[in-house]
């Protein structure tokens, strides 16, 4: 469907044009932007719910502030579609998340209006504080710095670290807490309870009204309004608001909550707040999925719904002929339930990715054995260590890209104490349209550097089940299993679980010309490549190594003693990953074979479909065929 531009949006490409509108035209513009987002994302899917909810925020912020000189820092950045549309990217918006198109997240190289690159959560306050302090040091006293952060992202430790630091900084920092009461799944934890309390407390509401009255006067006096601000402080001093407001305790001036989908009111309030110096927080309430009934009613699914019918809002099922294999994440979700039914020590942990990881399936069956700890990867890992040190077997399911947050916890809290924690790393390898911030490229490299850690990657879903079974057997120590996004082949659900001896690879095909050593799902590309090469009379050995650590040394000695050309294939960083481990093995044992490595190169790979990205990085079937040919016929 061609995106329709309403009569206001047609004339707006940059904030300077937005500023020409009257305040009372802003609600119409918001409607037009929403329609435009829906037109595009119905056929070219993206992060829908958060962006629909933040349209008024983007419009009001660009109306009141003076970006790019003032800095707007969007946390996670998945809610910033309206911001993109208003800052020079409207005509390219239909290429959202496409190969060579525009990123789904703010990105400094894409636009000067994207003050800070994001994708992972809870960074906005720290980054905005850094900018605010830099402005102060550079004598830019009037520049504004605004961090826009959701209630879910506020549960991340970094956000609280940022608040703690910022509260005493005396900088021009405004934090907008965009509270829609939900992360991807239902929000969890004490902060959520607290935010609900603030909205409903009568004392707060009474004090809030006093504050707004005084604040209204402040804006008339412009930048010289500090005296009036002092009145606000006095009004709330000693009151419950001062004593028990979490954000006031961090030395922020707290304002709100107000309706963040009321663009006119929001604009007025932001104008008022612009004239106040120092760290401030504005708490706004918004509706995730605003403007599309289905998205408002089913906020988890419409966080990132895939393609949907523009008229009805109903999600269009993926077309897939024949019997469709389940997603890898569903195989994990189903298997952990089977294992937990047999082994009462097993518990599941997720940092705010209940449905993304499919741990929601276990939550339904065994609610007391699943823990959604909020967007808190570091805490998730150390929490797992605590559970394991008391005899439980936690399956800590974290997307590969988010696991990066918890590197020290892996080393210091889990592996050093050799605790039995199972790490299931979903979205291992390239992830497609989410792009550079989300590719799970590094886990194989950094996990293999950690002593005591078993590092594995199944080639197919049946192997995933066997590895999960193996990992929960007694005394395995820390054990990681990484698997990709998407679907593979139908697993063998009926076969009883089998143990895979730790460090044991599998010879899939014996040949003589070149040996291919693969790890994980890309072994399937290698299998296809073997077939293509066989037709051309090239006879290739192929081993699914299954473990990066420990390596199957017996199998490797066999391979290296019989082949002078070895090709490694992985869906992960070439720097320090599986191929590097094979190079080290060959060097350590004096093998002189020519070794070529395929994997993610030493640069950031941008967004695109998985097929496009595998091709770009050269380790799809065609890439493997080509590499083998080059090795034997250089
Ligand atoms: C470190 C990290 N962990 C997990 C995620 C996955 N993630 C993306 S958006 C999101 C929910 C954010 O909730 P909130 O801040 O309330 O924003 P909303 O989507 O509700 O607007 C999560 C968990 C992430 N981006 N970064």
């Amino acid at each position: 469907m061609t995106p329709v531009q309403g009569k206001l949006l047609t004339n707006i490409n940059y904030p300077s044009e937005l500023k020409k509108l009257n305040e009372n035209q802003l609600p119409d513009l918001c409607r037009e932007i929403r329609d435009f987002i829906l037109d595009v994302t119905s056929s070219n899917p993206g992060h829908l719910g958060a962006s629909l909810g933040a349209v008024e925020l983007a419009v009001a912020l660009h109306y009141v502030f003076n970006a790019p000189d003032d800095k707007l820092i969007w946390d996670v950045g998945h809610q910033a579609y309206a911001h993109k549309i208003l800052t020079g990217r409207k005509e390219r918006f239909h290429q959202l998340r496409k190969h060579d198109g525009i990123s789904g997240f703010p990105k400094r190289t894409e636009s000067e209006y994207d003050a800070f690159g994001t994708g992972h959560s809870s960074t906005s306050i720290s980054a905005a504080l850094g900018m605010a302090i830099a402005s102060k040091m550079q004598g830019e006293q009037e520049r504004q710095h605004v961090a826009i952060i959701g209630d879910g992202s506020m549960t991340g430790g970094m956000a609280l670290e940022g608040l703690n630091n910022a509260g005493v900084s005396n900088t021009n920092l405004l934090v907008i807490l965009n509270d829609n009461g939900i992360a991807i799944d239902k929000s969890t934890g004490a902060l959520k309870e607290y935010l609900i309390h603030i909205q409903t407390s009568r004392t707060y509401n009474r004090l809030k009204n006093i504050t707004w009255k005084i604040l209204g006067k402040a804006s008339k006096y412009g930048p010289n309004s500090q005296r009036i601000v002092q009145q606000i402080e006095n009004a709330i001093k000693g009151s419950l608001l001062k004593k028990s407001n979490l954000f006031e305790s961090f030395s922020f001036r707290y304002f709100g909550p107000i309706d963040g989908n009321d663009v006119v009111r929001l604009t007025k309030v932001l104008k008022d707040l612009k004239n106040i110096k120092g760290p401030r927080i504005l708490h706004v309430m918004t509706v995730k999925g605003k403007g599309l009934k289905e998205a408002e009613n089913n906020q988890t699914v419409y966080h990132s719904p895939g393609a949907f019918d523009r008229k009805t809002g109903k999600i269009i099922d993926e077309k897939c002929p024949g019997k469709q294999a389940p997603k890898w994440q569903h195989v994990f979700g189903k298997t952990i339930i089977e294992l937990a039914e047999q082994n009462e020590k097993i518990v599941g942990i997720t940092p705010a990715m209940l449905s993304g990881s499919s741990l929601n399936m276990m939550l339904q069956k065994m609610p007391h054995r699943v823990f959604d700890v909020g967007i808190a990867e570091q805490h998730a890992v150390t929490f797992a260590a605590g559970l394991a040190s008391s005899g439980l077997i936690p399956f800590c399911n974290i997307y590969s890209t988010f696991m990066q947050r918890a590197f020290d916890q892996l080393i210091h809290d889990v592996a050093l104490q050799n605790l039995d924690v199972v790490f299931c790393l979903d979205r291992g390898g390239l992830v497609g349209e989410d792009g550079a911030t989300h590719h799970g490229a590094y886990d194989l490299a950094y996990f293999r550097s950690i002593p005591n850690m078993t590092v594995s990657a199944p080639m197919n879903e049946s192997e995933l089940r066997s590895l999960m079974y193996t990992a929960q057997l007694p005394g395995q120590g820390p054990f990681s299993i990484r698997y990709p996004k998407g679907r593979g082949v139908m697993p063998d659900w009926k076969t009883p679980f089998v143990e895979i001896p730790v460090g044991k690879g599998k010879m899939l095909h014996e040949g003589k010309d070149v040996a291919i050593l693969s790890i994980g799902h890309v072994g399937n590309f290698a299998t296809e490549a073997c077939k293509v090469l066989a037709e051309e009379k090239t006879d290739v050995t192929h081993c699914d190594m299954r473990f990066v650590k420990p390596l199957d040394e017996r199998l490797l000695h066999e391979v290296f003693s019989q082949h002078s050309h070895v090709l490694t294939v992985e869906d992960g960083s070439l720097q320090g990953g599986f191929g590097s481990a094979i190079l080290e093995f060959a060097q350590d044992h004096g093998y002189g074979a020519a070794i070529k490595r395929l994997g993610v190169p030493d640069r950031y790979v941008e967004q695109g479909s998985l097929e496009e990205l595998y091709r770009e990085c050269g380790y799809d079937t065609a890439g493997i065929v080509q590499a083998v040919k080059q090795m034997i016929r250089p």
Side-chain angles (χ1 to χ4, degrees):
M1 172 178 283
T2 327
V4 179
Q5 293 187 33
K7 64 178 193 310
L8 296 175
L9 186 57
T10 308
N11 297 315
I12 296 175
N13 288 297
Y14 284 96
S16 51
E17 289 140 351
L18 162 68
K19 287 177 202 292
K20 290 180 188 153
L21 299 185
N22 296 323
E23 267 177 39
N24 58 17
Q25 292 177 293
L26 297 182
D28 284 337
L29 177 66
C30 291
R31 260 191 297 280
E32 291 180 16
I33 292 177
R34 254 193 197 95
D35 283 341
F36 188 74
I37 292 175
L38 286 166
D39 281 354
V40 171
T41 55
S42 57
S43 57
N44 179 28
H47 285 104
L48 182 65
S51 274
L52 287 180
V55 169
E56 285 79 8
L57 263 174
V59 168
L61 283 166
H62 281 295
Y63 194 71
V64 172
F65 291 96
N66 192 24
D69 194 41
D70 288 338
K71 305 291 174 200
L72 306 181
I73 300 108
W74 299 89
D75 206 277
V76 185
H78 64 316
Q79 77 290 58
Y81 292 177
H83 158 81
K84 292 209 166 209
I85 292 165
L86 292 169
T87 53
R89 286 162 280 183
K90 188 179 61 176
E91 300 307 332
R92 292 179 66 205
F93 193 65
H94 63 281
Q95 299 168 326
L96 184 73
R97 292 157 50 92
K98 294 255 193 245
H99 202 229
D100 296 328
I102 60 173
S103 167
F105 300 98
K107 194 168 154 187
R108 279 162 56 86
T109 50
E110 193 179 284
S111 165
E112 60 177 338
Y113 289 89
D114 291 357
F116 199 69
T118 46
H120 290 198
S121 85
S122 316
T123 61
S124 61
I125 299 174
S126 305
L129 176 62
M131 292 176 204
I133 294 214
S135 294
K136 210 165 134 184
M137 290 173 76
Q138 292 156 358
E140 299 280 359
Q141 303 295 347
E142 298 309 315
R143 179 172 291 149
Q144 302 282 338
H145 311 85
V146 187
I148 307 105
I149 179 166
D151 52 305
S153 300
M154 194 60 107
T155 63
M158 260 189 88
L160 299 172
E161 291 168 34
L163 280 181
N164 183 47
N165 191 188
V168 293
S169 67
N170 192 23
T171 52
N172 250 346
L173 176 66
L174 171 62
V175 174
I176 299 187
L177 173 59
N178 174 18
D179 183 0
N180 54 24
I182 186 165
I184 296 179
D185 297 275
K186 246 182 15 205
S187 296
T188 55
L191 184 66
K192 178 193 119 197
E193 307 295 328
Y194 174 75
L195 294 177
I196 291 174
H197 171 72
I198 288 195
Q199 292 162 46
T200 49
S201 156
R202 292 236 302 274
T203 318
Y204 278 125
N205 284 325
R206 200 161 38 81
L207 282 163
K208 193 180 74 184
N209 291 338
I210 300 173
T211 314
W212 289 127
K213 257 194 207 147
I214 305 172
L215 191 62
K217 284 193 219 161
S219 62
K220 284 197 207 119
Y221 292 89
N224 301 319
S225 56
Q226 284 309 307
R227 199 171 44 80
I228 291 164
V229 170
Q230 194 57 52
Q231 283 181 34
I232 300 176
E233 310 262 273
N234 292 340
I236 59 178
K237 203 184 241 165
S239 70
L240 264 179
L241 181 61
K242 179 86 183 170
K243 272 197 209 133
S244 67
N245 183 291
L246 174 71
F247 304 105
E248 293 277 346
S249 315
F250 276 108
S251 299
F252 269 71
R253 293 195 181 105
Y254 171 86
F255 302 95
I258 63 163
D259 180 352
N261 291 125
D262 177 346
V263 68
V264 175
R265 170 110 169 97
L266 196 55
T267 303
K268 285 198 169 65
V269 168
L270 287 175
K271 280 183 180 166
D272 289 345
L273 290 182
K274 202 175 161 180
N275 293 321
I276 298 174
K277 301 259 185 239
R280 293 140 286 162
I281 187 156
L282 173 65
H283 183 179
V284 305
M285 307 303 303
T286 59
V287 176
K288 197 162 179 172
K290 176 91 178 165
L292 182 69
K293 201 159 68 44
E294 280 70 15
E296 289 184 26
N297 292 341
N298 198 348
Q299 295 176 324
T300 296
V301 171
Y302 281 78
H303 177 85
S304 180
F308 58 92
D309 184 302
R310 177 66 181 91
K311 286 210 180 80
T312 64
K314 298 234 165 5
I315 290 171
I316 299 165
D317 284 335
E318 289 172 53
K319 289 182 194 74
C320 194
K323 240 185 167 188
Q324 198 176 22
K327 290 181 177 168
W328 286 85
Q329 67 179 78
H330 290 152
V331 177
F332 162 83
K334 217 168 150 217
T335 306
I336 191 172
I337 294 173
E338 287 174 56
L339 293 170
E341 278 164 351
Q342 295 169 18
N343 182 349
E344 62 182 15
K345 290 183 179 172
I346 290 177
V347 292
I349 300 172
T350 170
M353 300 305 282
L354 255 185
S355 42
S357 66
S358 289
L359 258 181
N360 55 353
M361 294 159 80
M362 181 174 175
L363 182 76
Q364 261 182 8
K365 283 215 154 184
M366 306 171 177
H368 302 300
R369 290 169 70 181
V370 174
F371 302 93
D372 179 352
V373 298
I375 309 182
E377 289 78 10
Q378 299 182 321
H379 163 65
V381 172
T382 305
F383 172 59
L387 291 164
S389 67
S390 296
L392 296 182
I393 301 180
F395 274 65
C396 196
N397 189 308
I398 303 187
Y399 283 19
S400 165
T401 188
F402 303 138
M403 180 56 98
Q404 290 157 200
R405 286 269 163 107
F407 188 43
D408 180 58
Q409 285 72 11
L410 284 173
I411 297 170
H412 177 269
D413 299 333
V414 178
L416 184 58
Q417 309 187 73
N418 203 22
L419 292 168
D420 295 340
V421 179
V422 184
F423 295 102
C424 289
L425 307 185
D426 196 332
R427 302 332 191 242
L430 297 176
V431 295
E433 290 79 2
D434 278 339
T437 54
H438 280 60
H439 294 313
Y442 310 105
D443 60 280
L444 292 178
Y446 67 79
F447 266 78
R448 70 175 278 265
S449 70
I450 303 174
N452 289 341
M453 185 68 75
T454 296
V455 184
S456 72
M459 181 167 147
N460 54 47
E461 283 84 340
S462 296
E463 243 175 45
L464 170 61
R465 284 168 59 74
S466 303
L467 284 168
M468 286 175 67
Y469 171 74
T470 305
Q472 52 88 54
L473 294 172
Q476 292 286 36
F479 199 121
S480 76
I481 307 170
R482 67 104 76 158
Y483 49 91
K485 185 181 175 181
R487 298 172 199 273
V489 290
M490 185 67 79
D492 187 356
W493 294 111
K494 295 218 174 76
T495 308
F497 286 117
V498 280
E499 179 180 354
I500 297 182
V502 171
K504 186 106 186 70
K506 197 173 174 184
M507 174 76 80
L508 296 179
H509 187 259
E510 280 187 79
K512 56 180 174 18
D513 296 329
V514 173
I516 302 177
L517 305 175
S518 66
I519 186 76
H521 76 103
V522 288
N524 298 300
F525 301 155
T527 300
E528 288 307 308
C530 289
K531 288 183 198 156
V532 175
L533 289 160
E535 282 169 17
E536 298 172 12
K537 306 277 179 277
T538 303
D539 192 13
V540 175
T541 292
H542 177 204
C543 302
D544 164 25
M545 293 303 290
R546 300 197 289 209
F547 293 87
V548 174
K549 185 176 179 169
L551 282 170
D552 187 340
E553 297 211 345
R554 202 192 54 76
L555 183 58
L556 288 179
H557 281 299
E558 195 182 317
V559 166
F560 275 95
S561 54
Q562 290 169 14
H563 295 82
S564 52
H565 294 92
V566 174
L567 179 71
T568 66
V569 190
E570 64 198 294
D571 188 10
S573 129
L574 283 173
Q575 255 55 24
F578 166 69
S580 299
I582 300 298
L583 277 178
E584 289 165 21
F585 172 88
Q587 166 71 24
D588 290 350
H589 294 88
Y591 289 113
I595 300 174
K596 188 173 172 64
R597 294 170 298 137
L598 297 182
V600 179
D602 186 21
R603 63 174 170 80
Y604 289 103
V605 176
E606 304 297 350
Q607 73 279 356
S609 70
L610 278 173
E611 293 69 28
E612 286 166 329
L613 299 185
Y614 293 144
R615 194 180 321 132
E616 179 188 316
C617 293
Y619 57 88
D620 61 353
T621 300
I624 296 171
V625 169
Q626 193 188 358
V628 168
K629 285 184 181 169
Q630 278 171 358
M631 285 192 97
I632 50 176
R633 290 189 286 275

